[in-house]
Amino acid sequence: MSIIPQLIVNSIIAGAIYTLVALGFNLIYSTTKFFNLAHGAMAVVGGYVVFSLTRQLDFSLWLSIPVAILVAGVIGVLSDLLLFRKLRERKASSMILLVASLGLFTAIQAMIAILFTSQFQTLTTGASISTVYDVFGGAITQTQVVILATGLLIMAGIGLMLKYTKLGKAIQAVGDDEEVAKIVGIDTNKVIAIVFFIGSAIAGVAGLLVGFDTGLEPTMGLALLLKGIVAAIVGGVGSLYGGVLGAFLLGFVENFGIWHLSGEWKDAIAFVLLILFLIFRPQGIVKK
Amino acid sequence: MSNGTKTLLAIIVILILVWIGYAIVKSSPGEAPTTATSTEALKIGVILPLTGDAATYGEPGRNLFALALDEVNAAGGVNGQMLEFIYEDGKCNGPVAASAAQKLVAIDKVQIIIGGFCSSESLASIPVAESAKVAMFSPGSSSPDLTGRSMYFFRNYPSDASQGKILAEAAFNDKKWKTVAMLQEQTDFALGIRKVFETRFVELGGKIITEEFPSTASDFRSQLSKLRAAKPDALFLSLQTFAPTEKILKQLSDQKWAPNLLLSDVATSEELRTSRASQLEGALTAEFNTDPSNPKFSQMTSAYKAKYGVDVPYQGYAQTEYDAVYMVRDGLLAVGNSGEKFAAWGRTIKDWPGASGVITIGPDGDRAAGHVVKVIKAGKLENYSAVSATATSSPVVQ
């Protein structure tokens, strides 16, 4: 049996997960122009809301998932209203915003660890065997297919929204120049709040899907976020489609990189890719 | 500086001086030091993982220490002096445990530390204890690297040398597995088991393919694909904690790969065995044996249940943790509260009857006894008799 089909499938699965993180991250970055590290915490929130509702309170899955997405989105908006907006009003630099978001990330992660303990949790029950499909000799589970489909759907959804809706145009206008957008009559604070809601909700989707695929830990946010950011930078920071390309490139390079190297080099390979891009093509694959 | 601030500063300085003076006066009355020590509790340090992934072991560990401590103190402590445990979180992490040891040695001035629990905790704290001439006594660290490591360290938990060795012999001699794929977490404990297994298995004529991963990893798919492509007879998971075990087992079933499994003792919690019973059916593992017919063991389990309302988890570790407290008491009775003497006394322990069986500690600080091979059947651990009978003699079949 050749190993290649499974490696391709593994790369696609990894790419799909990174896509979900990179999409929301890029959306928030392109409008607010700062690295929102708290984005990783929103993913953890999404996962743990589903865990708490289904495993602790016996809610149905179909109710828990939308609630989790909503909660992640609302916490994202609150982070903007209570923290980032106040800093923006004081003309804080993007470095200060980054540090503030790191603080928020750590605080949320610690709160989740206190509420749910730092133990590893699974959303699926151990006994249930997930449906597995065979793709040219590589195995992929139902959850992973859902992750891939969700990533592509969200990408298409955001793409259409940015291009064809009034809100999408307003978001782009704020991203191009916040001051000018204000002058032409756009309520920039409102637009940014909406962007935080959408971006954080997507992070929530990412977190709960990872919860179904792998499992939940309060500390999983950082690893997810780092890979998402690498994907975003490699693809072109702030670019919607670039982020998706970057995510899949990263997935393929990581998984094929360890074909002949030992597996513990995976993270090193990811960051070598990042460094190569920063040196030779800092604008990323797709220049915004 | 304004006048207001100056006055405030002056008041603060005066308050501090008064407080220091009061503290000196209070402590100076010339009471005889002997009476002072006998009323004050005797402090013993404890290092174990209270947070992080390994907290699964640390939480019940602390309960057991507290249980045994209550029993010892209720029976009169050490010559009427009560014992007190100071618990420090080692997070199953070397540097964290070393600073915990530093705190126990420098601030609490303990002479004896029970711990660390994880091998990484012990390996990193030993130099700290050694330089302060403080004894370290571990009831859970099993890395072969700890054998004869320091004159200040000994343990009543057996080294993994026996675990890796008997599993290698069972796999090669009995199961006739010639190629084993090894997936190893990058911790001292998991590396220790891998090294012993690998050495013995290769010595017998087998072949090993290895992949390692950092404890934070969560995507094992491509590593599993690689190992599978090598067509091994079995897969050995040398892991430290529950989280990667659960992740790897899930990703194995996601890839529809059901290899013969070999697991180190930590990967066999009851929770995991019941939730993944069909996947683990027939898996070989080693366990430091527990003996429910031992009255001390059954007394420990019933006292634990009475105090905490649940059954003792991880009984292989529970029994040595429980014994450790009583051994510390006996050591204190024999040689007094001195790290140097206690560590030397530890090496003279012979046929000490405990919950974990009869304990004898060798001159290298290791417990003379070991693991037995177990097989998982319908979610339960059963003795793997075909091998445990021949494991001790271990003739090379070739």
Side-chain angles (χ1 to χ4, degrees), chain B residues 96-349:
Chain B
V96 175
S99 56
Q102 199 71 263
K103 186 244 169 195
L104 287 170
V105 166
I107 295 172
D108 300 310
K109 310 248 183 267
V110 301
Q111 283 293 316
I112 299 168
I113 295 174
I114 301 180
F117 179 81
C118 294
S119 296
S120 38
E121 292 177 344
S122 295
L123 283 163
S125 336
I126 286 173
V128 177
E130 200 173 46
S131 64
K133 299 192 172 176
V134 165
M136 289 200 70
F137 175 28
S138 170
S141 299
S142 51
S143 166
D145 286 346
L146 284 162
T147 305
R149 184 89 174 186
S150 159
M151 283 312 286
Y152 287 89
F153 176 84
F154 67 100
R155 52 182 164 183
N156 65 356
Y157 195 85
S159 160
D160 290 321
S162 65
Q163 184 173 164
K165 186 166 165 277
I166 54 167
L167 280 175
E169 283 161 3
F172 192 89
N173 293 342
D174 208 65
K175 291 283 189 185
K176 313 283 179 212
W177 291 335
K178 303 295 174 230
T179 311
V180 167
M182 166 83 69
L183 189 55
Q184 179 228 315
E185 187 174 349
Q186 289 175 322
T187 64
D188 289 326
F189 169 80
L191 178 67
I193 292 188
R194 171 197 153 184
K195 279 203 278 194
V196 178
F197 180 88
E198 192 170 343
T199 310
R200 184 70 183 135
F201 197 69
V202 170
E203 195 178 275
L204 289 168
K207 197 181 146 215
I208 302 252
I209 317 133
T210 311
E211 282 283 317
E212 296 174 27
F213 66 89
S215 299
T216 50
S218 57
D219 179 354
F220 303 95
R221 295 179 190 99
S222 290
Q223 289 188 298
L224 291 173
S225 308
K226 263 178 86 178
L227 292 174
R228 185 182 192 178
K231 297 192 177 21
D233 298 316
L235 175 66
F236 192 132
L237 302 178
S238 185
L239 313 172
Q240 174 118 32
T241 46
F242 178 70
T245 318
E246 177 74 37
K247 289 176 196 164
I248 290 170
L249 289 175
K250 176 158 193 313
Q251 290 175 21
L252 270 175
S253 71
D254 284 355
Q255 291 199 359
K256 284 190 180 167
W257 186 25
N260 295 313
L261 286 173
L262 285 154
L263 299 157
S264 54
D265 58 350
V266 297
T268 54
S269 72
E270 194 175 343
E271 190 186 348
L272 198 71
R273 275 187 275 123
T274 39
S275 67
R276 296 203 167 265
S278 60
Q279 203 177 2
L280 290 172
E281 183 68 25
L284 288 190
T285 178
E287 200 191 43
F288 174 41
N289 215 4
T290 53
D291 177 13
S293 68
N294 177 345
K296 285 207 172 168
F297 182 84
S298 53
Q299 193 230 320
M300 170 189 84
T301 49
S302 55
Y304 190 96
K305 177 117 193 185
K307 185 163 181 186
Y308 300 107
V310 287
D311 288 320
V312 196
Y314 305 107
Q315 301 192 342
Y317 293 116
Q319 53 183 353
T320 47
E321 287 165 341
Y322 185 77
D323 284 346
V325 178
Y326 280 93
M327 291 169 84
V328 164
R329 182 199 60 181
D330 286 1
L332 287 170
L333 284 170
V335 295
N337 189 21
S338 147
E340 206 166 358
K341 286 183 188 157
F342 180 76
W345 171 82
R347 286 168 161 69
T348 64
I349 295 171

